[in-house]
Amino acid sequence: MKRYLETGNFAVTQAAIIAGCRAFFGYPITPATEIAEAMSKFLPRVGGYYVQAEDETAAMHMAVGAALGGLKAMTATSGPGFILYADPYGWALGCEIPLVVLNSQRVGPVSGITGAPGQGEFYLSRYVTQGGNFETIVLAPNSAQEAFFLTVEAFYLSERFRMPVTILADQLITDGWEDISIPETDAEKETMGLRFIDRKVNPGPVFYPPTDEIDIPPVVLGRDTGALCSDWTPTEEGYDIETVEAQHKHSYRMIYKVRNHKDIITRYEALFLDDEPDIIVVSYGTPSRVVKTAVKKAREKGQKIGMIRPISLWPFPDELFKRKATYLSVELNYDGQMVREVQRTVPCDSRVHFYGKCGELPSVEELHAVFDRLLKGEILTRNQWETEAW
């Protein structure tokens, strides 16, 4: 292993190249600009291509085009750019084009604060384009090292499911400096648990089968396969068609190729759930690191508190929330987003609470004060703009 004191942006870049990425398209935006800068430096060294697009929409379209040409492709942005990916992202979903998209969340809405972390695109990463009738795969790291691992994993999943995969990070992960280990040999990659798959080419004539099967090679243009690609509902051979039956078949595939293979996607971290905890704290990304410390310290005080950290956010891991308890969702937003999924999935007689901060992490002391109130059966209240309680 080679060790670095570097940023999450650097870790993502190295992971993408190790995973076989050879084309990157981007537009400068804090806090993801350094990914583009690093890609412009490192990709040419391995025979790859870097292009700075004129805007975010163009960057995503270019990534889709490169993937259709047979290259493993990637793009990276932040919230204001991620929303502009909507149309080409939908094209990639509908035409089953594998690529990787990283979104480093910052405070919003719109431009907000460029140098402060946020978690405002939880639902946007799920409903990333128009029309519905699809599932998404979204992975959420909570450290630079995990960002490395999940970037490699994103390329792996994108090929197996032949679809775009989103890495939902935040500003503290991509900009933060940490100790990072990068494998240099195949043995080290195996030890780290990294999974790889090469790009293959679908020979046709069936390019869009109406099944939930995965591990089907994607459409690659220009390889004498007769492959077709458009943003219309396709026949199995890829021709445009406007029939409800064809839409039903295509929608079934877009949804159930993911839902019926969740076991390949789902990743999570769970702490102290074996003794039926009174409170289960739910958090992802950077806030989960503070939550983990707070939960461990609460255990030292004798409080029965557990923790769930979803690493794969979508499809949402409903199966993790079957215990009856008081749930607390801790998020880096002021409105409460993941908490709504927790509400949806927990047993009907469980209580669900929300604690959110905007642009800054909660402290361990703040979380302990919240734990104490919930253990006493008190209701969390709002203190005007300072904190938001569910």
Side-chain angles (χ1 to χ4, degrees):
M1 297 283 182
K2 190 169 184 177
R3 293 181 65 188
Y4 296 86
L5 178 60
E6 262 290 0
T7 65
N9 284 325
F10 175 84
V12 167
T13 302
Q14 298 304 302
I17 292 174
I18 287 175
C21 178
R22 293 298 179 264
F24 182 93
F25 307 89
Y27 185 80
I29 183 170
T30 304
T33 300
E34 288 78 6
I35 296 178
E37 291 178 349
M39 283 295 199
S40 71
K41 177 181 178 181
F42 292 110
L43 268 179
R45 299 180 185 179
V46 294
Y49 306 92
Y50 165 83
V51 178
Q52 179 172 313
E54 61 267 34
D55 56 38
E56 290 87 353
T57 305
M60 184 64 173
H61 273 297
M62 289 178 183
V64 170
L68 273 172
L71 294 175
K72 288 188 177 182
M74 182 181 181
T75 182
T77 188
S78 189
F82 191 63
I83 189 68
L84 298 177
Y85 283 3
D87 183 66
Y89 204 118
W91 195 311
L93 283 168
C95 295
E96 300 191 66
I97 303 167
L99 69 149
V100 173
V101 178
L102 183 139
N103 176 17
S104 182
Q105 301 171 97
R106 69 191 200 197
V107 172
V110 199
S111 292
I113 303 175
T114 60
Q119 290 183 330
E121 283 94 66
F122 176 80
Y123 276 117
L124 181 58
S125 69
R126 167 63 179 91
Y127 302 103
V128 71
T129 191
Q130 70 280 3
N133 296 318
F134 61 86
E135 284 280 357
T136 55
I137 297 177
V138 180
L139 309 176
N142 77 346
S143 68
Q145 186 67 64
E146 193 170 60
F148 173 88
F149 177 87
L150 291 181
T151 299
V152 175
E153 183 73 1
F155 276 97
Y156 172 80
L157 293 174
S158 72
E159 297 292 332
R160 292 198 67 185
F161 287 83
R162 63 177 208 177
M163 63 186 290
V165 174
T166 295
I167 302 166
L168 195 62
D170 62 60
Q171 179 267 339
L172 288 172
I173 292 167
T174 54
D175 281 1
W177 290 71
E178 294 190 272
D179 181 25
I180 305 167
S181 295
I182 307 293
E184 298 185 289
T185 67
D186 290 341
E188 290 174 347
K189 295 173 186 177
E190 185 176 351
T191 299
M192 193 174 279
L194 301 177
R195 301 193 287 185
F196 300 92
I197 186 170
D198 293 330
R199 170 61 57 86
K200 299 176 183 177
V201 178
N202 193 321
V206 174
F207 296 105
Y208 304 98
T211 71
D212 65 350
E213 294 179 47
I214 60 172
D215 297 319
I216 300 173
V219 168
V220 175
L221 303 181
R223 302 292 179 91
D224 297 323
T225 62
L228 298 168
C229 172
S230 93
D231 60 343
W232 295 76
T233 297
T235 64
E236 294 177 35
E237 294 77 22
Y239 293 99
D240 296 349
I241 191 169
E242 292 197 10
T243 68
V244 172
E245 182 183 9
Q247 181 60 49
H248 285 174
K249 291 180 178 180
H250 193 54
S251 297
Y252 174 83
R253 174 157 180 78
M254 296 297 95
I255 295 167
Y256 287 97
K257 70 176 181 180
V258 175
R259 289 186 183 176
N260 290 351
H261 297 93
K262 276 185 64 176
D263 58 308
I264 299 173
I265 303 165
T266 300
R267 291 181 175 274
Y268 62 93
E269 180 183 12
L271 290 177
F272 307 118
L273 299 183
D274 293 337
D275 61 351
E276 300 300 324
D278 298 316
I279 299 174
I280 298 176
V281 191
V282 186
S283 187
Y284 76 94
T286 302
S288 68
R289 297 170 69 163
V290 183
V291 167
K292 187 174 184 177
T293 299
V295 168
K296 286 183 174 180
K297 289 183 177 295
R299 280 279 167 169
E300 293 172 2
K301 297 194 301 183
Q303 295 177 331
K304 291 179 62 176
I305 300 178
M307 173 186 174
I308 296 174
R309 174 172 75 97
I311 299 172
S312 52
L313 298 183
W314 299 108
F316 196 72
D318 296 22
E319 62 275 14
L320 302 182
F321 299 90
K322 301 308 179 186
R323 293 174 176 82
K324 178 183 176 181
T326 294
Y327 288 83
L328 172 67
S329 184
V330 177
E331 306 176 40
L332 267 182
N333 58 58
Y334 208 60
D335 54 305
Q337 296 189 14
M338 184 170 65
V339 64
R340 300 177 188 275
E341 292 303 300
V342 177
Q343 278 188 315
R344 179 183 62 80
T345 57
V346 300
C348 60
D349 51 355
S350 293
R351 298 176 63 189
V352 179
H353 299 271
F354 166 71
Y355 185 81
K357 298 200 74 173
C358 189
E360 61 180 356
L361 293 173
S363 68
V364 171
E365 291 74 19
E366 287 173 330
L367 291 176
H368 281 177
V370 173
F371 298 167
D372 290 342
R373 296 192 66 177
L374 294 180
L375 289 170
K376 294 175 183 176
E378 298 178 1
I379 301 298
L380 301 182
T381 56
R382 179 187 305 186
N383 185 14
Q384 296 184 355
W385 55 267
E386 293 181 8
T387 56
E388 169 77 349
W390 193 249

